[in-house]
Amino acid sequence: MALSAIDYVVIGVYLVAITAFGSWFARYQKTTRDYFLTGRSIPWWAICFTIVATETSTLTFIGIPATAYAGNMTFLQLAIGYVIGRLLVSVLFIPAYFRGDLFTSYELLQRCFGTRVKTLAAVIFLITRSLADGIRLFTTALVIAVVTQVPVPWVSVVLAVAMIVYTMRGGVSAVIWTDVVQMFVYIAGAGAVATTLLYRIPGGWDEVMRVGYETGRFTVFDFSLNPSAVYTIWSGVFGGVALTLATHGTDQFLVQRLLSARSAREASRGLVLSGVIVFVQFVLFLIIGVMLYAFYLHTPLPYVPERADQILPIFVVNEMTHGLAGFIVAAIVAAALSPSLNAMAATTVSDFYLPYFNPGADQTTQMRVSKLATVGWGIVQLGVAIGAQFMQRSVLDAGLAVLGFASGAVLGAFLLGTLVPRVNERDTFIGMIAGLIVMTLVWWDARIAFTWYVLIGSVTTCAVAVGSSVLVPTRTEEGA
């Protein structure tokens, strides 16, 4: 079975509609404050939905069902850490972001420490986000390539162009409000897949429960102390908290959403509620994975997939009715098109262009550079997506590992600035470099699961920075 003409029409109409909808916000983008922060006008419920959509990518839509299809539901342990981490972000970081007129999260580091720490954190963000979102774009292209037989590079180009156009024109307003729409689209898509599976599995839900329990696919908790095990209760809670503190508390991609809220209180409310929705959403996607396993016990696979990530696209294209299959593909696209390009442009302009190249730039110049930066980073992510087709590991694990690799050093700097103000710029910079070196060794050794990366990097950064401040005091401290 292949997609029909009506499926292609559904996909095409969705891409055109979402691009036009995002571009419509161009009329409101007069200044960089509008372009990057929406004039801080977004209500808490929209903050909640955009965070959920931002956090949910194609990695979630096809990667999480694949983990349950091939294994079990231990991924859910990480989601427990996600919920706890959001509560800590609301207490530790959000109040600080709303004490001042900040455009990026890294300007807070400038206020606490100085230029070197801020610049290093911003560079880390631009590099890791380019890699992670390039993988995210590739994942979507991979799915569409499976169902349409169009080569991955060409699909990547089409998706990248749509993403660049509406982000460049509409700014963060376009990103946030298209996120709100797209969240409901991909949730509806997931619901349609689950309903179809339930109808097609002989014995229905009772058979899913039987298969899930007999094969151990409903296993949620793993109390193993093995550091190489990716999903355990320890790596899930402690690693998940650290990862959330980094991604939701320091990474400009998500912090930009929080900074667009009407107030710190509304930002916190939207953030915490998003954790509950994401947890429920992960449960849904994991159950879909178990359902897929139960279904293919009774129905032969049309061909053996090279990787578990392909199992959901295979089901969609071979088992779902025409029109509905196109809608599911559109839902997968919806999960992917929550771009980081505007956040990266904000960092480029606020943390590099203005302080280093043109401090006196007027609003017209800043807006022009912002849009050029949006296009430029879009091209970079497209290049990563095309290169990612040669990657062998799970796309879900790869995407999370990239974010975890260097985020610990940045999180360490934010924790020092918030909790240990006596540590100065020199010590924090040394701590960040130490954190990056340690994480390089951990990554190279490959015996520790990526779920520990952020925690190891942040603890190393904090420990070395505090140790440096005690063992090698600055001259001012010596003379005091």
Side-chain angles (χ1 to χ4, degrees), residues 198-212:
L198 204 56
Y199 176 76
R200 296 289 304 280
I201 295 171
W205 180 247
D206 290 340
E207 176 66 2
V208 174
M209 295 292 288
R210 183 191 70 79
V211 169

Side-chain angles (χ1 to χ4, degrees), residues 424 426-428 430-431 463-474 477:
N424 61 24
R426 181 207 65 181
D427 301 322
T428 302
I430 292 172
V464 171
V466 171
S468 174
S469 69
V470 173
L471 298 175
V472 190
T474 61
E477 292 172 338

Side-chain angles (χ1 to χ4, degrees), residues 108-121 124 408-436 457-470 472 474 477:
L108 183 61
L109 293 179
Q110 171 85 44
R111 183 191 301 169
C112 294
F113 300 113
T115 303
R116 282 189 299 171
V117 170
K118 181 205 74 169
T119 300
L120 179 58
I124 289 172
V410 178
L411 173 59
F414 275 89
L415 290 173
L416 289 166
T418 304
L419 303 175
V420 194
R422 67 181 295 273
V423 176
N424 61 24
E425 180 182 21
R426 181 207 65 181
D427 301 322
T428 302
F429 189 82
I430 292 172
M432 292 178 73
I433 296 299
L436 292 173
S458 59
V459 169
T460 301
T461 298
C462 291
V464 171
V466 171
S468 174
S469 69
V470 173
V472 190
T474 61
E477 292 172 338

Side-chain angles (χ1 to χ4, degrees), residues 354-368:
L354 289 177
Y356 295 120
F357 298 99
N358 192 358
D362 58 23
Q363 281 297 314
T364 301
T365 302
Q366 290 185 46
M367 285 293 289
R368 184 175 68 252

Side-chain angles (χ1 to χ4, degrees), residues 251-328:
D251 191 307
Q252 173 63 12
F253 185 31
L254 277 156
V255 171
Q256 184 184 39
R257 271 74 168 166
L258 300 176
L259 288 172
S260 299
R262 293 169 176 171
S263 66
R265 182 178 180 181
E266 294 212 19
S268 296
R269 184 186 301 175
L271 177 63
V272 172
L273 182 58
S274 73
V276 177
I277 295 176
V278 164
F279 187 90
V280 173
Q281 178 179 271
F282 286 161
V283 172
L284 170 62
F285 283 116
L286 288 166
I287 290 175
I288 287 174
V290 179
M291 291 172 127
L292 285 166
Y293 183 82
F295 175 79
Y296 283 114
L297 283 178
H298 298 278
T299 304
L301 275 162
Y303 62 90
V304 179
E306 297 178 4
R307 50 204 298 167
D309 303 317
Q310 294 176 322
I311 194 66
L312 180 58
I314 289 173
F315 175 80
V316 169
V317 77
N318 287 284
E319 306 296 338
M320 301 197 74
T321 59
H322 293 309
L324 187 56
F327 175 73
I328 301 304

Side-chain angles (χ1 to χ4, degrees), residues 70-111:
N72 52 40
M73 300 175 70
T74 50
F75 177 86
L76 205 57
Q77 297 167 114
L78 197 61
I80 296 172
Y82 288 175
V83 174
I84 300 171
R86 280 167 161 81
L87 294 171
L88 294 176
V89 170
S90 297
V91 173
L92 293 176
F93 297 138
I94 288 181
Y97 286 135
F98 280 82
R99 288 195 295 266
D101 191 23
L102 303 182
F103 275 74
T104 74
S105 57
Y106 310 112
E107 290 176 302
L108 183 61
L109 293 179
Q110 171 85 44
R111 183 191 301 169

